[in-house]
Amino acid sequence: MAERDTIAQRLAAAAYVADRDLATALWLMDLLGRPLLLEGAAGVGKTAVAGALARVHDARLIRLQCYEGLDQNAALYEWNYQRQILALKAREAAGGDPDAIETAIFSEAYLLERPLLAAIRDPGPVVLLIDEVDRADEEFEAFLLELLAEFQVTIPELGTITARAVPRVVLTSNGTRELSDALRRRCLYHYVDFPDIDREAAILKTRLPGIDAALALQVARFVAEIRKEDLRKVPGVAETLDFAAALLGVGITEIRQDAGALHDLLSTLLKTREDHAGIDAAVVDRLAHKVA
């Protein structure tokens, strides 16, 4: 499919190295005008897809970070209560009609736009990132269904607001809880796995132009071996980039060059005390010689 290859090339130009299946999912997203649900472990690059997509389409990136307890007010809109109270007192003092006052203070002038409403009302191209939707409560997930199906939202005081331009919607999930069938039905789906060695080396060369191709491949192989160890937190692509940048920073050009320095730099890859304790200098030396 030429269109899929074109998307992959444009993503690469935007510093995101996509595999064949992800490029296909993004092409289908545009073809069908459907939201895309990206699921996978933390650190595999799901969030970065939305950023790259925004750069590719010269679109505004609007991000809604989900968390437990997130409600419609924080995601869609709020009323500016302080301004409403001031206006209410001023109009009452002037002897205004109560019904007219109520209509006035629940109007556009007192509305505070939040990410979902901003995405719906923006007349230009928008990529809406609903990040880590699995962290939100099931009630909020249900609230999203109208937006995902109809690209519209309802505000009781103002009515239904339909998207001026249909945004590209990317949802991410780390799989911390099962998402509803209703949400899944409204989205295309792609599972984002850790990149294979060649793709991770390509990512390193794209994001760190100063890295030698051979070192990039060694780093990708080394991190792949680290991921096979018994870890509490498996390093993601961002950690690989930090590790490679640190190697360049201390002048290491070959992974077996200095096992001690390699071990000292593991703080870029390992993020728990237990993982640091499990990967000692001897393990690092063994893995470095295995991949070089």
Side-chain angles (χ1 to χ4, degrees):
M1 290 184 285
E3 296 87 351
R4 178 189 62 205
D5 296 339
T6 299
I7 288 177
Q9 291 165 7
R10 295 180 69 187
L11 285 170
Y16 190 95
V17 180
D19 62 17
R20 179 179 182 276
D21 291 342
L22 176 59
T24 302
L26 292 172
W27 169 67
L28 287 170
M29 178 185 177
D30 272 355
L31 178 70
L32 303 176
R34 298 279 299 280
L36 175 62
L37 170 61
L38 298 176
E39 201 164 40
V44 293
K46 303 183 297 297
T47 300
V49 172
L53 204 59
R55 294 193 293 276
V56 163
H57 295 288
D58 194 21
R60 178 186 177 194
L61 176 63
I62 297 178
R63 177 176 181 169
L64 173 64
Q65 176 63 54
C66 296
Y67 53 87
E68 187 177 355
L70 175 64
D71 60 15
Q72 296 184 32
N73 288 340
L76 183 59
Y77 74 99
E78 290 181 275
W79 293 109
N80 189 332
Y81 292 119
Q82 290 184 331
R83 284 198 63 202
Q84 284 179 317
I85 291 172
L86 291 174
L88 180 63
K89 290 180 177 178
R91 290 169 187 259
E92 284 179 341
D97 176 68
D99 291 336
I101 293 174
E102 182 178 347
T103 301
I105 64 175
F106 286 104
S107 64
E108 180 75 28
Y110 299 91
L111 192 67
L112 297 175
E113 204 175 65
R114 298 305 182 216
L116 298 183
L117 186 59
I120 287 293
R121 300 206 303 181
D122 195 317
V126 165
V127 172
L128 172 61
L129 169 62
I130 303 175
D131 209 10
E132 298 183 330
V133 67
D134 52 322
R135 291 185 181 274
D137 301 326
E138 293 179 3
E139 291 77 8
F140 183 77
E141 187 183 319
F143 158 72
L144 288 175
L145 297 181
E146 181 186 18
L147 170 72
L148 298 177
E150 307 294 339
F151 295 105
Q152 67 181 31
V153 294
T154 300
I155 297 177
E157 298 86 351
L158 301 180
T160 298
I161 300 174
T162 303
R164 295 176 180 173
V166 174
R168 292 177 171 86
V169 182
V170 176
L171 301 92
T172 72
S173 169
N174 293 334
T176 57
R177 70 169 176 84
E178 184 62 29
L179 301 176
S180 70
D181 290 344
L183 184 138
R184 290 180 181 275
R185 279 198 305 272
R186 285 160 174 78
C187 301
L188 304 176
Y189 176 82
H190 176 70
Y191 186 83
V192 183
D193 208 345
F194 287 103
D196 61 27
I197 290 172
D198 288 340
R199 193 160 74 89
E200 191 147 32
I203 292 169
L204 289 170
K205 287 189 287 184
T206 299
R207 301 290 295 275
L208 299 173
I211 195 169
D212 178 77
L215 180 60
L217 192 57
Q218 289 178 358
V219 170
R221 287 173 174 165
F222 181 78
V223 175
E225 292 297 324
I226 287 279
R227 288 178 182 141
K228 295 177 184 176
E229 299 294 316
D230 184 19
L231 301 176
R232 284 189 60 190
K233 185 169 177 55
V234 177
V237 176
E239 283 76 27
T240 306
L241 287 164
D242 285 344
F243 179 61
L247 291 177
L248 294 176
V250 297
I252 290 179
T253 57
E254 207 276 335
I255 202 96
R256 292 180 301 180
Q257 181 179 326
D258 187 339
L262 209 61
H263 183 260
D264 290 343
L265 300 178
L266 284 186
S267 60
T268 57
L269 290 174
L270 306 178
K271 303 302 175 70
T272 73
R273 181 180 181 182
E274 292 82 357
D275 290 346
H276 272 276
I279 309 294
D280 58 20
V283 173
V284 169
D285 188 58
R286 172 174 58 83
L287 297 180
H289 280 77
K290 186 176 181 180
V291 304

